[in-house]
Amino acid sequence: MYVQKNDYLRELLVELTDSKAKLEEYRISTQATINSLGEGLIVTDVRGRITTINPYALESLGFQEDELLGQWFPRSIVAVDQHSHPIPQLDRIIIRALTTGQTVSGRTRYLRKNGSVMPVFITVSPVLIDGRPTGAIEVFRDLTGETQLELAKDEFVSLASHQLRTPATGVKLILSMLSQGDFGDLTPKQKKYVDKAIQSNDHQLHIIESLLSAAQVDSGRMELERDSTDLVRVLHEAVNEHMAIIQDKQQEVFMDTPPKLILTIDVSKIRMVIDNLLSNASKYSNPGDRIEIELTQQGPHIQLSVTDHGVGMPTADLKKLFTKFTRIKNELSTSAGGTGLGLFLVKNIVELHQGTVTVISDPGQGSKFTITLPSNQDV
Ligand code: ADP
């Protein structure tokens, strides 16, 4: 009996020693992985106090380990917005992950110890044991290099578009003088070709403006110049300007609007939104199809919808519709041409006005784009 008990204890001891060795081995390999990670790693307890931070995170933030260990993460590592104002501690991604128990990721900017700003992409995953949060793990990637590259690309697009706009505008002026007979009467054939050149030049200017606006959105430099405006008048002006192309396709536009609707908006940018929706409704519809425009006031909001009965889109394509350079293939997209910038700009301009844009679409049936804007916009 006594011998059996001794054997049992010896076995237990061997097992324990074995487990301890395995745990130590595991701890060392985990530590080595954490230390050699090419990304920042910060582990916190359930209250958000830092329990582990790897060398990459320390080096990129410029801190020593003992300055951060045990500290409350949102206080010791400050995040700032694009104007370098500190982001409120309770709005920080780490706090969202800890309070919701969900993995949260996104871009932010960390303030290094020397006061410089480091753009980062972070993913914070809560650590759950038996479904209960016991802490969080944040992994961050320094985006400094990528951001500089993006800025250089935006600068280039912006510069090139500016340089292209001046001569293209000069051509527009001369072509319209030619077309109006300022340099003498034109034969019908000459007039036909000058008008075609005007159309191509308009198209070219539209692409240049879209590229310039997209570069402004990307660099966060797009700003609104709001004015009190009658949106109904803006809508009529837009429809009139598109009429030649719409009639060319024997399409008809039906408008249902109040006589007047005053809003405080950036007129030229909202015109860009309307132009894009109207031009798409015509481009992606067949000859003879109708286009409907409806403008309504719904309490504190206005709703503007553009409906077509054209080729429509599969539901699976709708989620990527508003991203830059997205073009969806359909039977008309090759002949219609385009840059894939139109709806990207629509979304960004509407959101700058604190509005939203939604779409419903059915292949072969058509599409309806609806923008909602607050009717009392602050100037
Ligand atoms: P572009 O028209 O220059 O390609 P947009 O950003 O305006 O770029 O549109 C992106 C894509 O969405 C288009 O390529 C087209 O396939 C699809 N699309 C946009 N509007 C409509 C519409 N009214 N009906 C069907 N497809 C559309």
Side-chain angles (χ1 to χ4, degrees):
M1 184 70 183
Y2 179 75
V3 173
Q4 261 183 7
K5 201 170 178 188
N6 237 357
D7 281 352
Y8 173 69
L9 279 176
R10 196 172 308 113
E11 260 175 43
L12 208 63
L13 197 67
V14 170
E15 246 177 59
L16 263 175
T17 318
D18 226 31
S19 300
K20 199 175 159 220
K22 276 199 186 120
L23 263 178
E24 184 58 10
E25 201 180 298
Y26 183 66
R27 192 190 67 76
I28 291 171
S29 85
T30 308
Q31 195 62 46
T33 313
I34 289 174
N35 288 352
S36 62
L37 255 186
E39 302 199 328
L41 181 131
I42 302 170
V43 184
T44 75
D45 64 13
V46 71
R47 293 201 190 148
R49 281 180 312 214
I50 299 171
T51 55
T52 304
I53 179 158
N54 76 341
Y56 180 97
L58 288 169
E59 201 176 310
S60 51
L61 289 162
F63 285 101
Q64 300 295 322
E65 193 174 34
D66 56 0
E67 292 175 292
L68 295 177
L69 278 187
Q71 302 297 318
W72 194 48
F73 185 165
R75 190 183 309 122
S76 51
I77 300 174
V78 176
V80 293
D81 62 18
Q82 72 248 53
H83 306 295
S84 297
H85 298 142
I87 295 173
Q89 292 167 348
L90 296 179
D91 292 348
R92 295 279 297 275
I93 292 182
I94 177 95
I95 299 297
R96 261 195 284 150
L98 281 169
T99 48
T100 61
Q102 311 269 331
T103 297
V104 191
S105 44
R107 279 181 178 226
T108 190
R109 294 174 169 82
Y110 279 156
L111 214 52
R112 295 191 185 93
K113 192 180 170 189
N114 67 9
S116 61
V117 170
M118 168 171 64
V120 287
F121 184 84
I122 69 183
T123 301
V124 187
S125 310
V127 181
L128 302 173
I129 295 181
D130 292 335
R132 278 205 353 257
T134 57
I137 299 181
E138 165 167 323
V139 176
F140 72 79
R141 188 155 53 89
D142 180 356
L143 296 179
T144 307
E146 284 167 48
T147 309
Q148 276 164 354
L149 205 69
E150 270 174 36
L151 282 177
K153 186 206 70 193
D154 291 345
E155 278 299 307
F156 170 74
V157 172
S158 174
L159 204 82
S161 320
H162 265 297
Q163 298 297 329
L164 285 169
R165 184 159 64 173
T166 313
T169 311
V171 171
K172 181 184 173 80
L173 194 75
I174 293 168
L175 284 175
S176 65
M177 287 166 78
L178 252 178
S179 167
Q180 283 160 14
D182 287 5
F183 307 121
D185 288 342
L186 299 180
T187 64
K189 198 169 178 183
Q190 284 169 336
K191 172 105 174 71
K192 182 177 147 196
Y193 283 106
V194 169
D195 286 346
K196 272 194 190 299
I198 288 178
Q199 260 184 31
S200 298
N201 172 253
D202 277 345
H203 189 207
Q204 188 181 23
L205 276 165
H206 173 74
I207 295 173
I208 293 170
E209 289 301 334
S210 301
L211 282 170
L212 264 173
S213 303
Q216 279 177 358
V217 169
D218 284 342
S219 61
R221 279 193 308 235
M222 179 175 268
E223 278 173 12
L224 300 183
E225 285 174 31
R226 297 176 196 254
D227 260 323
S228 182
T229 314
D230 178 11
L231 189 58
V232 179
R233 186 180 51 79
V234 180
L235 268 175
H236 280 284
E237 281 171 7
V239 172
N240 284 341
E241 265 185 43
H242 284 262
M243 218 20 131
I245 296 170
I246 291 171
Q247 281 175 345
D248 235 23
K249 288 186 83 174
Q250 298 101 45
Q251 293 163 339
E252 269 188 285
V253 178
F254 293 84
M255 289 181 78
D256 182 0
T257 71
K260 211 174 183 178
L261 209 162
I262 305 293
L263 274 189
T264 306
I265 47 172
D266 184 320
V267 189
S268 66
K269 298 213 169 59
I270 290 293
R271 217 358 245 279
M272 205 182 257
V273 169
I274 298 168
D275 284 343
N276 274 308
L277 293 181
L278 197 54
S279 146
N280 281 349
S282 169
K283 272 192 334 191
Y284 302 115
S285 292
N286 288 301
D289 285 347
R290 58 187 271 153
I291 297 167
E292 290 135 29
I293 297 175
E294 194 183 6
L295 177 64
T296 52
Q297 169 118 34
Q298 317 241 331
H301 294 103
I302 67 103
Q303 271 198 345
L304 169 67
S305 62
V306 179
T307 308
D308 65 62
H309 301 272
V311 293
M313 288 165 278
T315 311
D317 286 335
L318 298 183
K319 51 182 178 301
K320 59 179 180 193
L321 201 57
F322 297 97
T323 42
K324 205 167 47 170
F325 298 123
T326 293
R327 296 213 70 219
I328 297 165
K329 232 176 146 42
N330 61 48
E331 68 228 51
L332 296 174
S333 56
T334 310
S335 61
T339 54
L341 285 173
L343 292 176
F344 168 75
L345 292 174
V346 166
K347 181 169 186 285
N348 280 282
I349 292 172
V350 168
E351 286 179 355
L352 270 179
H353 284 84
Q354 285 95 44
T356 55
V357 48
T358 55
V359 54
I360 43 177
S361 190
D362 219 346
Q365 301 296 313
S367 311
K368 177 176 182 174
F369 286 84
T370 303
I371 61 173
T372 305
L373 297 175
S375 45
N376 295 318
Q377 308 231 350
D378 295 332
V379 189

